[in-house]
Amino acid sequence: MSLTHAQIEQARARVPRAFHLPLTLRLRRIALWTLFAGLMLYCLWVFNFSPTRIWIGLGRLGHVLGFMFPPYIWKSWPEFSEILKGLGETLSIAFMGTLLGAIVAFPLSFLGAKNINRLNGLRLGVRRGYDIIRAFETLILALIFIRAFGLGPLAGILAIAVSEVGTFAKLFSEAIENTSTKPIDGVKASGGTRFQQIRFGIAPQVNPVILSILLYNFESNVRSGTILGIVGAGGIGFLLSDRISAYKWDEAWSIIFLIIAMVYVIDHLSGIIRARIIGDWEGTK
């Protein structure tokens, strides 16, 4: 069905920018796109980007990948048990770091939620504390704790725990702020105390979200734990770095494959846990 001239004019009057953008807006968009393109070209120039360099790098990468195949198969149990010990240590570092970070972050998250903490100065100060903690990369924290506590898993656990305090506290507080007030009003109307309002009105709403955040970050910390081992904070990363330094690419690929398999298993198990506790939403549609 074709539109009449009157209908087009009515539409133009309602949404004029759909037909013609003002000159100032067009100039502003052109300026932003020009700035974006200029920044991208500047970055390529600073990083010495060139097609020749990329082509040479891809060739070298092909040689490295060729050295990785076929993967190495460990021929003795003592040799393979060392790898399994490293994987178990990485898993333990991620678990303990995530758990300790969540324990500390959970009460702090209530101080940063505006529907719980009505003191603006305190709440904003706590939130800025979240930002300060999150500003430190886990690898930097690991180097600091290695200097303080020495080499080993303890430094890795503390690095992940401190890093996760800022992340968890921010995410938990945002989940608390996004809860509905109706359950809280119901508990309050029945004579519930402030603690009971939080316990029975807020906690049931945020617990599934908190669980989902914990499971995802635990999986992410397993991957981070492999990097921490490279700097001496324990785990499989030390063994992986040792194999790469010795140009044992086939063994390095076998270790990488085991790390991928471990992350896959954790992801699968976390999905089962979510379905058991949160529920199977697909089946309710």
Side-chain angles (χ1 to χ4, degrees):
M1 182 179 68
S2 60
L3 297 175
T4 63
H5 181 72
Q7 289 174 328
I8 294 175
E9 290 301 324
Q10 289 177 357
R12 188 191 300 273
R14 286 197 303 267
V15 283
R17 290 190 176 183
F19 293 85
H20 181 73
L21 290 176
L23 179 61
T24 55
L25 184 58
R26 282 183 289 168
L27 292 176
R28 189 184 307 167
R29 288 187 176 182
I30 293 173
L32 288 175
W33 279 109
T34 303
L35 178 63
F36 175 77
L39 180 62
M40 182 176 177
L41 292 174
Y42 173 75
C43 292
L44 293 177
W45 175 71
V46 169
F47 299 146
N48 193 23
F49 174 85
S50 66
T52 303
R53 185 179 182 186
I54 296 298
W55 181 257
I56 295 174
L58 289 175
R60 293 174 179 171
L61 179 62
H63 287 300
V64 172
L65 294 177
F67 295 146
M68 289 183 173
F69 292 94
Y72 181 80
I73 299 177
W74 290 277
K75 301 176 177 61
S76 62
W77 171 250
E79 190 180 18
F80 186 58
S81 64
E82 182 185 17
I83 305 299
L84 292 181
K85 180 182 177 182
L87 289 173
E89 196 170 82
T90 298
L91 191 64
S92 301
I93 291 171
F95 175 77
M96 289 300 300
T98 304
L99 180 62
L100 292 176
I103 291 174
V104 176
F106 185 71
L108 291 177
S109 62
F110 288 93
L111 294 176
K114 62 183 178 182
N115 57 338
I116 301 296
N117 186 2
R118 305 293 184 180
L119 303 175
N120 291 333
L122 177 60
R123 186 179 72 253
L124 293 176
V126 171
R127 281 186 170 273
R128 297 295 76 79
Y130 301 164
D131 298 335
I132 292 173
I133 295 175
R134 290 187 300 111
F136 288 92
E137 178 60 36
T138 308
L139 190 61
I140 297 175
L141 291 171
L143 293 173
I144 294 174
F145 287 125
I146 286 173
R147 181 65 178 174
F149 298 97
L151 298 172
L154 179 61
I157 292 172
L158 294 176
I160 292 177
V162 172
S163 177
E164 292 294 1
V165 166
T167 302
F168 282 150
K170 177 180 174 59
L171 295 176
F172 291 174
S173 63
E174 290 178 351
I176 293 171
E177 289 178 348
N178 291 325
T179 55
S180 174
T181 59
K182 292 181 179 180
I184 304 172
D185 294 337
V187 177
K188 185 177 180 180
S190 62
T193 63
R194 184 60 173 166
F195 175 77
Q196 289 173 331
Q197 294 172 29
I198 296 174
R199 169 66 181 84
F200 299 104
I202 294 179
Q205 298 184 67
V206 300
N207 284 342
V209 179
I210 289 176
L211 175 64
S212 180
I213 293 171
L214 288 175
L215 291 174
Y216 174 78
N217 281 51
F218 170 61
E219 177 190 338
S220 177
N221 289 332
V222 171
R223 296 191 297 268
S224 299
T226 62
I227 304 300
L228 298 181
I230 295 177
V231 298
I236 193 64
F238 175 77
L239 300 176
L240 178 61
S241 176
D242 177 69
R243 300 308 191 271
I244 293 176
S245 300
Y247 297 99
K248 297 180 179 180
W249 295 107
D250 53 346
E251 293 189 39
W253 167 243
S254 297
I255 294 174
I256 293 172
F257 178 79
L258 290 175
I259 294 172
I260 294 172
M262 182 173 65
V263 171
Y264 174 78
V265 171
I266 292 172
D267 178 67
H268 179 68
L269 293 176
S270 65
I272 295 175
I273 295 173
R274 287 191 191 96
R276 289 288 182 89
I277 297 179
I278 301 174
D280 187 6
W281 293 96
E282 295 295 332
T284 61
K285 293 181 179 179

